[in-house]
Amino acid sequence: MRRLLFLLRSVGILLRRRACSGPLLVLVLALLSLSFRTLMMNRTRTGIGTRPWDEETRSFISCLEHLQSHAQVQLSLQTPLHRPRAVVLMGQHLLSETGVQLYQRVLQQMGYEVHMSRYAETSGFLRTGVSQWSLVLCLGSSEQSCLRRIDFSRLQQHQMVNLIPGMMEAFSDAGGGLCNFYIRHQLTEADLPMKQHSCGSTNNKLPFPLDRYSPGRAPSLALVAMVNVYVVVTSVMPLTSFIHDLIIVLTNQQQRGRSVKTTDFLQHLGPTTSHQALGNMKWAIGQVLLAALTNEEQESVGRCVSCFQMFTFTLLFSGSITPIVIQVDTEFTFSALGDEAFQRQITKDQILEDTLQFLLSSRTHLSSRTQRKQYGGCTGTLGDCLSHQQLLLLLHLQQRLKKPSMFQLLYPSSSCSSSATPSISDLLLRISCYYELQTNSSRANDADRPTNQQPASLQHEGACVDPRLRQIYTDPPLILTPPFSPSVKEYYTKVTFDMVTVWIRPEPISSTCRVHLDEQSGPRMVNYPIGLGDGRISILVTDGAGQMAVVMAIYTVHVHRDSRPSMPVFRGHVTCGFVQDCGLPVQPGVSCGLQPHFTSQNPVQTCSSGHVPGRWLVPCLSCSDNRTCDWREVAWQPDGCYHPVVSRPLLQDCMSDRKVLFIGDSTNRGMMFYLMEQVNASLEDWGKAHDTLVYRNLNRERTQVSYSYYPQFWLDREQRPTFIEALQQLLARSRPLDNSNLTVLVVGGVQWLNINHLRTVQEVLDRESLSNILVVVKSLGLGFHLPVDGVRSLSLAQIQNLFRENENIVAAAKHHGYEVIDTFSITVGRYKEFLQGRCACHFHEVEKIRKTSDDSKPLIKKPGPDGSYGPAGAGPGPEFQHSILEMEQETDSNPQLYHVRGPVNQVYSEILLSRLCPTSRDGKTR
């Protein structure tokens, strides 16, 4: 024995050198075989559970490690022509699914060149040759295609497939949930800890035994639960398998399962009993796997040394610490977990990612030169030498056990005691026992040290030492560009017009880090409204909670939501009209959606008020299909009249010596900015102000605009200014004021206005001797109709009540002699066309103006002959395209310019201008 140990140490010294000749490698392998035979002889004499073999086992594992190092050196000296290729066959899964993206991301991080395809028959790499790929992952419905197309008996040593054909066949449903191997070998329930009908998809909803065992009557140490255990089989000759440390537990007191670590689930049983229960779990699963692998099946499946198979074993504990198997799935399933708050997807991705890293990071390739040699020149039985396949199995197991992971060995049993005939399984068992003892020793000496059951990412408690995300979960799934990677901080995605909200939940790599959306105190998960155009979602990774949290990393997702799909219409179109969208029928007695609109000629009469009922008109090929419409040409058409668009020269003349006061929320502010841009031929200053502002430099200092934000809802009720206080402050900041229509007060917002506010306006103006000024009431509008976290949302019934309240406001404003702009009727039909903002009530947005190449003038567009920006043939009315208005700009100061965009805001803002500056048929101001 001393001679053997001396030789093994000598081999270790030689293998530490950079290069190793072929003869030396043959010597190493011969010594491996010699040590194998010595170990077997000593094992037979002493028994596997005694101490004398410890030094021999350490020397044997040391030899394996040196051989592994040599293989890695040889690989590093080679210059590969291509990166290893992985083919992911998605089947019916979508590329946008988080799980599919996870496969792609993890494989790319591990150095694979990833190719996505649907089925094995359509994959180019599987058709061109057996040596063109290194890994094939068959997802879901692509499994049958893989089993037909891949020749598992001819796989090379560097090729891996996530299917073991023989095991797929053994656990197939032979009828009514009866496993195929159960029928073939005429087994009964007395032969295995397993229900007969445990295979196939017939048992997706497993009944829980509620009658016999309940927590109140069961013994204190009894288990009453259904448990999903995730198993990976990496070899069948001999059987080698692992279980993930996360399980899904469903008790008779829970509606849905929960994910938990196995040790946490069993800890209430006490140290001794929980250890027995864990051993019984492994024993039950191992017995079923062994029964499925009979001798004749092993010969057909054993040749696939690089195949692996994922299983979900559902175990039933019925008042005992010994479970029975009631369901076996040949893939990872998570239906018992439910899908609340993305928990199913998060658990699924975590286990899949752990599985890929566990399997692929331990791959060992021996050179082709090594493959051609007989190991040690030995021939004969397994007890005489190690075959190439057996050596690979030993190296794989040794690599998987030595690295920290969330997997622990299931089989061969790590009890470190056996009386079986010496075989390759004994060496596997020795390796597992060695690392189990090493793990237990590490835990005893240093509880914080990472072990095989404790990932390194969990060793630093309380500090966010790895401020990265492991994934960004969304529902509906978003396709991120580039594909998600923890190291990439900025992403872009594009969604369709019909997607108005998205659930988003980022998940950090380390549980000690926190994530917040938008701000440091923001929520961990939120339902986001997606406005038209460009938006941004910020994800903050912090080391704590609240305002004192330190931001460690920021991820940004830029979201672009497309406009409504549009088809250019040249000829043969019809005019369609709509009052409301069928997705939100605010007026139950009024038709929804597109309806044919017949009109003999354009209206010739100007509207007498700003609240004339109307509808949206759009040219279409067919009113029965809104995809055939040219939505760029949509226009608001009042019934029987039109609102003339005031040309800029007339508007500037009309607004001379006038003061316009706005009081209201951000929707009112959008009308103000539109007026400022039109009357000033530019917008040089803007802000999302939530207080009082005064603009005195408009229209060559001939026009003044002031604004007061109301209500300041973010303040406590006791600190919040009342409407009277806000209005009086606005009047005081805007003085001197003329008691005539040269002073205009525009009051209104989304949904806070009521008839009491109008009564207050009249009382304040009478008291301030301003009863003759022009008052314009902006009525209510659509918003808060989406179920967004942190923001109140209205049901359809509440929105219908809001419609009736709006009618009351219009009637009360008319009673007081005020002008009314009925924004509710205008916004209800296009409620999906909101822009950025969590209330989904903004129909305007201020953006920087794009300038021409000389950087002196903005890109411009001139109005038509009648002053209208509307399309030809659409009748009098504003244009609703996203355009940038022409303006003359002095170049000496070259200030930053802005533009108010938003077609819906443009409509009711133009109506406001037409009521401020009514014009006659000849275009002159009346």
Side-chain angles (χ1 to χ4, degrees):
M1 179 55 62
R2 292 179 179 176
R3 179 182 178 85
L4 171 62
L5 296 178
F6 173 77
L7 290 173
L8 288 172
R9 291 192 187 99
S10 300
V11 169
I13 295 173
L14 290 172
L15 284 174
R16 291 190 186 101
R17 299 174 180 174
R18 285 288 296 174
C20 183
S21 63
L24 177 58
L25 185 56
V26 173
L27 174 61
V28 172
L29 297 171
L31 289 173
L32 276 173
S33 297
L34 176 60
S35 64
F36 168 73
R37 291 194 296 272
T38 305
L39 285 172
M40 291 299 99
M41 290 186 291
N42 285 334
R43 180 195 180 282
T44 304
R45 291 195 299 265
T46 64
I48 197 166
T50 58
R51 299 292 298 177
W53 53 263
D54 287 354
E55 185 67 24
E56 303 166 14
T57 302
R58 281 195 292 269
S59 299
F60 184 74
I61 289 177
S62 176
C63 199
L64 287 177
E65 290 179 346
H66 291 319
L67 182 59
Q68 176 73 28
S69 300
H70 172 75
Q72 295 298 327
V73 169
Q74 293 297 100
L75 285 176
S76 66
L77 295 177
Q78 299 175 7
T79 305
L81 297 177
H82 301 284
R83 289 190 300 162
R85 291 191 177 101
V87 181
V88 179
L89 302 176
M90 299 181 294
Q92 296 180 358
H93 291 278
L94 300 176
L95 185 61
S96 60
E97 291 182 19
T98 311
V100 177
Q101 293 183 6
L102 177 136
Y103 280 110
Q104 189 174 21
R105 171 175 61 84
V106 174
L107 292 174
Q108 287 175 342
Q109 289 175 345
M110 301 186 74
Y112 283 88
E113 178 184 314
V114 183
H115 298 268
M116 313 297 291
S117 185
R118 288 291 176 190
Y119 298 97
E121 289 90 349
T122 59
S123 173
F125 282 101
L126 296 184
R127 291 198 311 266
T128 54
V130 71
S131 62
Q132 296 298 311
W133 52 270
S134 303
L135 172 67
V136 172
L137 294 178
C138 306
L139 310 186
S141 56
S142 68
E143 289 179 350
Q144 292 302 317
S145 174
C146 292
L147 292 173
R148 290 192 302 265
R149 182 68 179 83
I150 299 176
D151 188 351
F152 289 84
S153 64
R154 297 187 177 181
L155 295 180
Q156 300 180 19
Q157 64 148 333
H158 69 281
Q159 294 180 312
M160 297 184 71
V161 185
N162 67 329
L163 294 176
I164 300 178
M167 301 203 75
M168 292 287 292
E169 193 272 338
F171 286 100
S172 62
D173 187 356
L178 201 60
C179 300
N180 191 40
F181 78 90
Y182 230 111
I183 296 179
R184 178 180 299 174
H185 304 294
Q186 300 178 350
L187 299 175
T188 65
E189 290 192 4
D191 298 320
L192 285 175
M194 179 182 188
K195 290 288 186 182
Q196 279 189 336
H197 300 275
S198 301
C199 288
S201 58
T202 58
N203 294 327
N204 283 339
K205 285 193 173 181
L206 298 170
F208 197 89
L210 299 176
D211 51 349
R212 187 173 178 184
Y213 303 103
S214 65
R217 290 183 293 174
S220 59
L221 293 182
L223 281 178
V224 181
M226 281 198 305
V227 179
N228 280 3
V229 182
Y230 299 98
V231 178
V232 177
V233 175
T234 58
S235 168
V236 294
M237 285 188 66
L239 174 63
T240 309
S241 57
F242 301 83
I243 60 172
H244 196 275
D245 202 34
L246 278 182
I247 58 177
I248 294 177
V249 178
L250 179 64
T251 67
N252 57 355
Q253 293 184 325
Q254 295 174 319
Q255 293 287 334
R256 298 185 181 276
R258 59 189 177 92
S259 62
V260 63
K261 294 186 69 172
T262 308
T263 53
D264 295 338
F265 166 61
L266 298 174
Q267 65 180 354
H268 74 281
L269 299 175
T272 302
T273 307
S274 63
H275 182 75
Q276 293 175 350
L278 178 59
N280 292 344
M281 285 176 55
K282 294 181 178 180
W283 172 83
I285 297 172
Q287 290 300 302
V288 173
L289 290 174
L290 285 174
L293 295 174
T294 61
N295 290 334
E296 59 267 27
E297 289 170 341
Q298 288 183 16
E299 292 182 4
S300 62
V301 300
R303 292 192 296 267
C304 185
V305 65
S306 295
C307 294
F308 61 93
Q309 183 74 55
M310 304 178 190
F311 287 95
T312 302
F313 276 77
T314 303
L315 308 180
L316 177 62
F317 289 91
S318 299
S320 169
I321 63 172
T322 301
I324 61 172
V325 177
I326 60 175
Q327 175 79 30
V328 181
D329 294 288
T330 54
E331 60 180 345
F332 286 169
T333 61
F334 302 88
S335 57
L337 192 60
D339 201 19
E340 296 179 357
F342 295 98
Q343 197 57 50
R344 179 194 298 179
Q345 188 65 52
I346 291 172
T347 303
K348 175 183 176 181
D349 285 5
Q350 180 179 349
I351 294 178
L352 286 176
E353 183 173 355
D354 290 342
T355 303
L356 288 177
Q357 293 178 342
F358 174 72
L359 293 171
L360 303 182
S361 62
S362 60
R363 297 292 297 135
T364 298
H365 298 163
L366 297 179
S367 67
S368 58
R369 181 178 182 181
T370 304
Q371 296 178 45
R372 291 193 298 267
K373 294 186 178 293
Q374 290 183 319
Y375 300 105
C378 62
T379 59
T381 64
L382 183 62
D384 294 327
C385 67
L386 292 173
S387 70
H388 171 71
Q389 186 181 73
Q390 292 163 352
L391 181 59
L392 281 177
L393 290 176
L394 292 175
L395 290 172
H396 289 169
L397 180 65
Q398 185 256 349
Q399 287 295 300
R400 286 164 182 159
L401 289 177
K402 69 181 292 186
K403 294 182 179 179
S405 76
M406 289 292 288
F407 281 91
Q408 54 182 296
L409 189 65
L410 170 68
Y411 198 90
S413 172
S414 57
S415 61
C416 297
S417 62
S418 174
S419 59
T421 303
S423 65
I424 186 66
S425 297
D426 292 285
L427 278 183
L428 294 173
L429 186 57
R430 281 182 176 270
I431 295 173
S432 67
C433 289
Y434 173 82
Y435 283 104
E436 182 182 19
L437 292 174
Q438 194 178 61
T439 297
N440 293 336
S441 176
S442 298
R443 285 175 173 171
N445 296 331
D446 186 0
D448 296 329
R449 189 174 172 183
T451 68
N452 191 50
Q453 283 76 42
Q454 180 182 356
S457 61
L458 300 180
Q459 60 181 319
H460 299 279
E461 294 295 334
C464 181
V465 296
D466 188 1
R468 294 181 298 161
L469 297 179
R470 69 177 298 153
Q471 186 58 269
I472 299 174
Y473 296 96
T474 63
D475 184 25
L478 299 180
I479 300 179
L480 300 180
T481 302
F484 178 79
S485 172
S487 59
V488 178
K489 298 297 194 300
E490 195 163 12
Y491 300 92
Y492 296 85
T493 186
K494 190 175 183 180
V495 302
T496 63
F497 171 80
D498 290 325
M499 185 184 294
V500 294
T501 61
V502 60
W503 281 94
I504 181 168
R505 174 174 169 174
E507 192 70 12
I509 287 179
S510 173
S511 60
T512 59
C513 299
R514 297 174 181 266
V515 292
H516 303 275
L517 293 160
D518 280 344
E519 57 187 7
Q520 287 179 248
S521 59
R524 179 185 183 184
M525 179 182 66
V526 72
N527 190 22
Y528 261 91
I530 308 178
L532 286 179
D534 296 326
R536 183 176 64 181
I537 301 174
S538 297
I539 304 169
L540 282 65
V541 183
T542 72
D543 67 346
Q547 297 293 336
M548 299 301 293
V550 177
V551 177
M552 308 291 289
I554 299 178
Y555 290 75
T556 304
V557 180
H558 300 273
V559 183
H560 177 85
R561 178 171 163 233
D562 286 337
S563 299
R564 189 186 293 268
S566 185
M567 175 183 292
V569 176
F570 299 100
R571 62 178 62 184
H573 69 271
V574 295
T575 301
C576 307
F578 62 98
V579 175
Q580 59 183 352
D581 192 288
C582 293
L584 195 67
V586 177
Q587 304 179 56
V590 178
S591 61
C592 65
L594 295 176
Q595 304 292 329
H597 181 77
F598 303 99
T599 178
S600 58
Q601 58 184 4
N602 293 327
V604 296
Q605 180 181 355
T606 59
C607 296
S608 59
S609 71
H611 60 273
V612 176
R615 68 196 66 244
W616 291 99
L617 301 182
V618 59
C620 306
L621 294 179
S622 171
C623 294
S624 61
D625 189 351
N626 60 16
R627 295 172 301 178
T628 68
C629 303
D630 191 348
W631 290 100
R632 300 169 303 173
E633 303 292 330
V634 63
W636 174 256
Q637 179 59 64
D639 295 340
C641 64
Y642 73 96
H643 296 289
V645 175
V646 183
S647 64
R648 178 163 293 115
L650 291 178
L651 178 65
Q652 291 175 334
D653 182 64
C654 167
M655 296 301 296
S656 294
D657 303 322
R658 301 185 80 171
K659 295 183 178 181
V660 186
L661 290 66
F662 289 84
I663 182 170
D665 57 29
S666 55
T667 62
N668 207 20
R669 190 173 59 206
M671 296 177 66
M672 178 190 73
F673 283 136
Y674 187 88
L675 180 148
M676 291 170 59
E677 181 178 353
Q678 297 305 304
V679 75
N680 202 46
S682 67
L683 182 61
E684 300 177 4
D685 187 18
W686 82 281
K688 295 181 180 180
H690 294 89
D691 47 15
T692 302
L693 298 175
V694 179
Y695 299 94
R696 307 180 189 275
N697 60 341
L698 301 175
N699 198 14
R700 297 185 177 88
E701 299 185 355
R702 295 180 298 172
T703 304
Q704 176 179 303
V705 171
S706 54
Y707 171 76
S708 180
Y709 192 95
Y710 181 85
Q712 297 183 25
F713 54 86
W714 59 92
L715 298 177
D716 294 336
R717 188 174 296 275
E718 296 75 16
Q719 300 176 339
R720 190 180 303 167
T722 65
F723 181 70
I724 292 179
E725 293 171 340
L727 178 58
Q728 289 176 333
Q729 183 185 38
L730 176 65
L731 296 174
R733 290 284 302 275
S734 304
R735 289 186 184 276
L737 298 172
D738 191 82
N739 187 23
S740 69
N741 66 356
L742 292 178
T743 301
V744 181
L745 175 65
V746 183
V747 55
V750 187
Q751 294 166 9
W752 59 268
L753 185 67
N754 59 51
I755 57 178
N756 293 327
H757 292 106
L758 302 183
R759 189 180 302 113
T760 300
V761 168
Q762 185 179 35
E763 294 173 355
V764 171
L765 293 182
D766 288 342
R767 188 166 56 249
E768 297 291 334
S769 300
L770 294 172
S771 57
N772 293 326
I773 70 172
L774 175 62
V775 177
V776 180
V777 175
K778 174 195 174 297
S779 74
L780 308 182
L782 249 292
F784 301 98
H785 52 278
L786 300 177
V788 176
D789 288 342
V791 178
R792 69 184 183 98
S793 61
L794 303 179
S795 64
L796 177 59
Q798 290 174 315
I799 295 177
Q800 291 173 342
N801 291 335
L802 202 66
F803 171 75
R804 291 186 285 271
E805 176 67 17
N806 188 72
E807 291 183 318
N808 296 335
I809 292 174
V810 172
K814 290 171 60 179
H815 173 75
H816 290 292
Y818 301 157
E819 282 279 358
V820 181
I821 311 298
D822 187 9
T823 52
F824 193 92
S825 298
I826 295 173
T827 57
V828 69
R830 300 178 70 177
Y831 74 98
K832 288 184 179 180
E833 299 182 46
F834 63 91
L835 300 173
Q836 303 304 315
R838 300 190 67 185
C839 64
C841 62
H842 295 138
F843 292 92
H844 81 281
E845 191 170 66
V846 179
E847 63 183 4
K848 291 182 180 180
I849 284 185
R850 179 166 53 93
K851 296 188 176 183
T852 54
S853 58
D854 63 0
D855 204 33
S856 60
K857 292 186 178 181
L859 189 65
I860 57 178
K861 183 168 184 176
K862 296 183 178 181
D866 61 350
S868 169
Y869 290 87
E879 181 201 21
F880 311 114
Q881 301 181 33
H882 178 189
S883 61
I884 297 179
L885 306 177
E886 178 174 20
M887 57 200 74
E888 294 296 331
Q889 174 62 41
E890 298 179 1
T891 60
D892 51 354
S893 59
N894 193 25
Q896 178 65 61
L897 301 180
Y898 302 92
H899 167 61
V900 184
R901 77 176 184 94
V904 178
N905 177 79
Q906 184 175 349
V907 166
Y908 49 70
S909 297
E910 288 284 0
I911 295 176
L912 170 66
L913 299 186
S914 71
R915 301 314 302 165
L916 295 180
C917 304
T919 58
S920 60
R921 288 295 297 169
D922 58 4
K924 297 181 179 180
T925 305
R926 292 182 299 187

